[in-house]
Amino acid sequence: MKQVAPGVHQLTIQRFVNLYFVETGRSGEWVLVDTGLPGAAKDIIAAADKLFYPGTHPEAILLTHGHMDHAGNARELAEHWKVPVLAHPWNCLS
């Protein structure tokens, strides 16, 4: 994981897929942007726990679009963290 801007950390999973932990500006609050290919949920949860604190969760999961390399773990992570998944309706058609 690397910091790409203040409050923005990039995690590369499965060698070529990027997702982002973005702090909201409020202490301890963050969102997850994209979720990678299926099968990476445990790695994403572990990265969040390491970056923030064990048991942390985002305020929401934001999907840039509906392709599998961006949305593959969205359902599993949303159910684990009990948070909403936000995406434009047209993004879900691709």
Side-chain angles (χ1 to χ4, degrees), residues 13-19 34-41 44 67-74 76:
I13 55 174
Q14 298 149 323
R15 296 189 308 188
F16 68 94
V17 178
N18 296 312
L19 51 98
D34 290 334
T35 65
L37 290 163
I44 296 167
H67 291 162
M68 191 58 65
D69 59 327
H70 292 260
N73 296 287
E76 185 175 351

Side-chain angles (χ1 to χ4, degrees), residues 12-82:
T12 301
I13 55 174
Q14 298 149 323
R15 296 189 308 188
F16 68 94
V17 178
N18 296 312
L19 51 98
Y20 299 86
F21 299 89
V22 181
E23 297 175 37
T24 66
R26 293 187 203 146
S27 181
E29 290 186 6
W30 57 281
V31 295
L32 179 67
V33 178
D34 290 334
T35 65
L37 290 163
K42 289 181 182 176
D43 293 333
I44 296 167
I45 293 166
D49 287 350
K50 184 176 179 180
L51 180 60
F52 298 105
Y53 55 87
T56 188
H57 64 82
E59 298 299 305
I61 296 168
L62 308 175
L63 299 179
T64 57
H65 60 283
H67 291 162
M68 191 58 65
D69 59 327
H70 292 260
N73 296 287
R75 179 183 301 266
E76 185 175 351
L77 292 170
E79 289 174 356
H80 173 80
W81 284 323
K82 298 177 179 35

